[in-house]
Amino acid sequence: MTERRLLLVNGPNLNLLGTRQPEIYGTTTLVQIEQLTSDAAAEHGFVVRAVHSNHEGALIDAIQLARKDCLGIIINPAAYSHTSVAIADALRAADLPVVEVHLSNIHRREEFRHHSFTSAVAEVVIAGAGPLGYRFAVDWLAERLAK
Ligand code: DQA
């Protein structure tokens, strides 16, 4: 592997960040989140492959690809966190360190958001730190992968 690559995955409706329920998700756009994640990764010598999709299968395809050419995964599965055994299984199969990020603190919200199938696979879960959570994820992965 020539480039030290991280996969950044953002799930459904996160393409609407900036205008989607800003009182919950803030005003930072997905493009800005992808940029800040890439910038943080570059500080540690990593490049980021950023993938967004509203479709479960496309997210699974991206995770499967990461098995071959990425060293770690940062994922905000959005609503699929609470529903998708298939995405959790893809993350398990990837056999890479996974950090799950949520902009909002899902545990302070509706009951149905309190359970995440993907959290059972992630080594680290960051919820409620807003866009900064993505930077925390990069910093943690960089240290984890240095070991
Ligand atoms: C989210 C929380 C999820 O419950 C929700 O469905 C999202 C975004 C977050 O980043 O806070 O779409 O993952």
Side-chain angles (χ1 to χ4, degrees), residues 1-70:
M1 202 182 295
T2 47
E3 282 187 319
R4 288 162 56 77
R5 191 178 301 112
L6 304 177
L7 176 67
L8 169 65
V9 182
N10 282 294
N13 300 306
L14 295 175
N15 55 312
L16 302 179
L17 287 175
T19 54
R20 173 194 183 201
Q21 294 181 279
E23 68 286 2
I24 295 176
Y25 298 115
T27 52
T28 306
T29 65
L30 181 59
V31 169
Q32 289 170 327
I33 284 174
E34 290 176 346
Q35 189 62 55
L36 81 82
T37 307
S38 283
D39 290 347
E43 288 173 25
H44 296 286
F46 290 95
V47 297
V48 169
R49 176 189 296 137
V51 174
H52 162 265
S53 180
N54 291 319
H55 304 279
E56 190 173 18
L59 298 170
I60 292 167
D61 288 344
I63 294 164
Q64 288 190 5
L65 186 64
R67 291 178 75 186
K68 300 193 189 85
D69 63 1
C70 292

Side-chain angles (χ1 to χ4, degrees), residues 121-145:
V121 186
E123 286 188 40
V124 170
V125 180
I126 300 164
L132 200 51
Y134 290 84
R135 166 171 269 283
F136 295 155
V138 169
D139 288 345
W140 182 84
L141 266 179
E143 190 160 314
R144 164 77 170 73
L145 292 167

Side-chain angles (χ1 to χ4, degrees), residues 10-14 17 20-21 24-25 75-82 100-106 109-110 112-115 126-128 130 134:
N10 282 294
N13 300 306
L14 295 175
L17 287 175
R20 173 194 183 201
Q21 294 181 279
I24 295 176
Y25 298 115
I75 183 165
N76 183 346
Y80 284 138
S81 316
H82 318 301
E100 177 173 329
V101 176
H102 297 282
L103 292 156
S104 64
N105 182 349
I106 53 176
R109 300 183 61 196
E110 304 95 317
F112 68 86
R113 296 185 202 274
H114 295 182
H115 178 261
I126 300 164
Y134 290 84

